[in-house]
Amino acid sequence: MKLNRNAVGWLNVSPLLAVMVPFFIVPIIVVFIASIMQTDGFGGMFWDPSLENYSYIFKSDLTYRLYFETVKFAVLTLVFSAFIGFWVAHFLVFHVRSKLLAMGLFLVCTVPFWTSNIIRMISWIPLLGKEGLINRALIAMGAIQEPLEFLLYSDFAVVVAYVHQLTIFMIVPIFNSMARIDKRVVEAAVDAGASKFDIMRYIIVPMSKSGIALGAIFVVSIVMGDFFVVKVMSGGGTASVVGAFYEDIGVLQYPSAAASAIILTILVMLMVAAILRIVDIRKEITQ
């Protein structure tokens, strides 16, 4: 009987293993093997296993600056996208009485994301530039005398582009979490004399934790693995970790790029683990 139970258990997880092994585990192993190999400087690699590539990365001050910039963008994007996503989801769930209308507005939120990320990112350039619509409007209103230079090709522009692209990844899971909240619980709290702040603090936020955590995982993972937004919206003034080992690949330094990829993967996994440690998603969903 125990053998049969084990067999059924392995059978249940076999579809997941069929996807995880060839598409995640094997590539990670291949990249790790490449990271401990040596290069001849012309794109070739030979087997002389060592941790020299990792040692070189950790000895470089540039590495720590790049990771600081990347984590900074991830945290700022997470904060702003979570704030916007939470209140958009809250409005759709608790302030729109018609479920049909709420779903319609929810679909409207997704319309801009039917286009390419690149198009949506580049669309900010005519808005944020020195001669862009925002600067022109502010000058016309007399709010400023000269164009604001920090709006484009800066860290500000990078965060704006990320928040624009990734807020939907916060709205969707938070909306799903809030939609499962029994409205009668909120009504009972109101009848008991609870303030709006108390309802938000003790009911809505705790019962939306799973959605916030899932959204945070999406946002952090995407930002940590991206370099194109940083490259374009910063005007080359800021670099990222992924951009650095993309440059390594461009000059055929595959082992050092592989080592950087492994380090970044471990860091992202640690960040995701920290989120999951704060919020037990499985427990929250099954409640």
Side-chain angles (χ1 to χ4, degrees), residues 266-277:
I266 293 173
L267 178 60
V268 172
M269 291 177 67
L270 290 175
M271 295 176 73
V272 171
I275 295 172
L276 294 177
R277 188 167 182 83

Side-chain angles (χ1 to χ4, degrees), residues 142-196:
I144 57 175
Q145 300 299 321
E146 297 180 354
L148 300 174
E149 298 185 3
F150 76 88
L151 293 180
L152 186 61
Y153 301 136
S154 62
D155 290 356
F156 173 82
V158 174
V159 174
V160 167
Y162 273 137
V163 171
H164 178 211
Q165 291 189 12
L166 302 179
T167 298
I168 190 66
F169 291 97
M170 294 297 299
I171 294 176
V172 173
I174 296 176
F175 177 85
N176 289 334
S177 295
M178 285 188 180
R180 291 188 287 109
I181 298 176
D182 191 338
K183 304 300 189 298
R184 291 173 297 181
V185 175
V186 177
E187 293 172 358
V190 172
D191 293 339
S195 65
K196 292 183 178 180

Side-chain angles (χ1 to χ4, degrees), residues 85-125:
F86 181 87
W87 288 110
V88 169
H90 183 271
F91 173 79
L92 293 176
V93 173
F94 292 100
H95 295 277
V96 179
R97 299 300 180 183
S98 170
K99 289 186 178 180
L100 182 61
L101 179 59
M103 292 304 300
L105 293 174
F106 177 76
L107 291 175
V108 169
C109 292
T110 67
V111 169
F113 299 89
W114 295 356
T115 61
S116 167
N117 286 345
I118 297 175
I119 294 175
R120 285 187 281 114
M121 176 185 62
I122 295 177
S123 67
W124 282 101
I125 294 178

Side-chain angles (χ1 to χ4, degrees), residues 25-44:
I25 297 175
V26 171
I28 290 293
I29 293 174
V30 172
V31 173
F32 175 74
I33 292 174
S35 72
I36 60 176
M37 296 178 69
Q38 304 300 318
T39 178
D40 59 9
F42 300 98

